[in-house]
Every structure is written in C-alpha cells, then in structure tokens.
Amino acid sequence: EASMTMLAETAPASFSINWNYTVTLNNNDATTPGTESVNVTYGSALSNIAVPSKTDYTFYGYYTENAGEGRQLINDAGEWIASVDGYTDEDKKWIHDGDVTLYAYYKKAQITRITFSPGNIVAPGATVTVTATIEPAPAGETTICWRVLYSNDNPLAPQPKFTPAEAQGKSVSFKAPEASGSYKVEATLRKGTGCGGEEIHTFTAPFQVAGDH
C-alpha cells in the first residue's frame, strides 16, 4: 500500500522596508536657521527648503560634507539638485537608502580686486579711477571706504579728495599725488552706510606715479 507524505504549507516570511528617512540640515551657526530637517520618502519628489542666513556671509547651499566639500544637494535658492549620484534622480526624487546630514556652506564677502583706469602707472596729478570687485555680494548694507597710502603703508596726508565726495562707492576717482613714487590704494569694506562701521575686509593695490610734474 502506497504511503503519502503531506507537507505542511509554509507561510511566506514577512519583512518590512523603511522607505522614509530624515535629512538633517546642519546650518552651521546661522543667524536665521531656515529649514532644519526634511522627512523624505524613497522615490518621492523633494520640496524646496527655506534657506538659512548668516550675518556678513552669503549662503551657497547644502553639501554632504562641511566647508563646501562632498556633493552639493541643495543650491543657494533652497532647491534640490537633480541627478546627484546616490541621492537624487533626474526628476529630483530621493533615491538614497538611509538618513543623511547635510552642511550649510557660506562665504564671507571680500574685496578680491582693485582695477585702475587708465592704468596703475600715472602721471603726477593725473585723475585716477579705481574700482573694487566684491565677491560674493555682501549681505546687508555695506560701504567701501578708500585711502591712498605710501608704499610703506603710511597714509598720505592730506588724503586726496575722492569723487563721489563720500568715498563710499565701489568706484571712485581721485587725483594722483604730485610726487613721483610708489603708492597704494586701500579699500575697506565696512558694515552700514558710513566709514565708521565695523570692518569686514580690507584690500590694497599698488600704483606708480611716474614723470615730472
């Protein structure tokens, strides 16, 4: 007589996958924090965030590492960046399997260059126009205050008259010293609308006065 062995039906194993994650936004001591964390779902679209702000600095975005290192995931407008390998797809949907901390990156406004017109070698008493370049654009109201220095960094006395007279613009004109020699133009970026505000950054550039008056 044949025997039959009955196998008990085995229920399928059950497991769960967590598709929801937290993106923590480290604002790096922001003055105004903006969005501090975002709940994201794998495969779902990402919404823009409120960006942080920091006095005297310009916000450049959120990165996977501090000091602007690693991969940038959020731009300076608070928008997620598409097609960041391992994080977002081409439609700005979240594709990273896990929680993440991102770090705000800022740059402080600085004067990076001074240009001379007609050039940095001029005749005695010639009119010189100097223009300062500031990068990035400063946050809040600022003033650029100008001085002319000897090559040894001692200020010229009396100072030349700057036009505009307030000497508070990115571009000003003045008359070169009457004596031939080496000089410097100094531009100081300050907070507020006057030259008494707190200093943010100072930059100097050399020029020459050549020839006989």
Side-chain angles (χ1 to χ4, degrees):
E1 182 177 327
S3 62
M4 181 178 294
T5 300
M6 302 296 292
L7 298 177
E9 185 175 339
T10 302
S14 62
F15 59 94
S16 61
I17 300 176
N18 179 19
W19 296 104
N20 299 310
Y21 304 105
T22 299
V23 178
T24 301
L25 301 176
N26 182 332
N27 60 49
N28 276 323
D29 300 320
T31 307
T32 303
T35 302
E36 297 184 282
S37 67
V38 179
N39 295 321
V40 298
T41 301
Y42 193 98
S44 295
L46 298 160
S47 299
N48 296 346
I49 67 158
V51 300
S53 63
K54 191 173 184 178
T55 302
D56 299 333
Y57 290 80
T58 297
F59 173 68
Y60 267 66
Y62 273 102
Y63 291 74
T64 55
E65 297 176 32
N66 240 328
E69 300 291 334
R71 298 171 181 170
Q72 185 180 15
L73 266 68
I74 299 174
N75 65 20
D76 59 351
E79 302 165 337
W80 291 85
I81 297 173
S83 302
V84 179
D85 187 34
Y87 292 92
T88 61
D89 67 10
E90 64 274 12
D91 296 317
K92 300 184 183 180
K93 292 180 180 179
W94 187 254
I95 57 169
H96 184 76
D97 183 14
D99 297 332
V100 172
T101 297
L102 302 180
Y103 302 88
Y105 178 51
Y106 308 88
K107 285 185 180 180
K108 193 171 186 176
Q110 293 186 335
I111 299 171
T112 57
R113 184 171 66 253
I114 294 175
T115 56
F116 294 81
S117 178
N120 64 350
I121 301 177
V122 299
T127 297
V128 183
T129 298
V130 287
T131 303
T133 299
I134 306 173
E135 296 175 331
E141 203 160 23
T142 56
T143 296
I144 297 180
C145 301
W146 298 87
R147 292 196 305 171
V148 175
L149 312 175
Y150 292 105
S151 58
N152 63 4
D153 292 331
N154 288 330
L156 201 67
Q159 283 287 303
K161 179 181 178 181
F162 290 93
T163 306
E166 297 81 7
Q168 295 175 6
K170 290 182 181 179
S171 182
V172 295
S173 297
F174 66 96
K175 289 198 177 295
E178 300 291 349
S180 297
S182 298
Y183 298 88
K184 296 179 182 179
V185 168
E186 177 189 85
T188 300
L189 181 66
R190 295 184 178 276
K191 293 181 183 179
T193 58
C195 288
E198 180 183 339
E199 179 182 336
I200 298 173
H201 185 246
T202 294
F203 187 92
T204 60
F207 72 100
Q208 295 279 334
V209 176
D212 297 325
H213 179 64

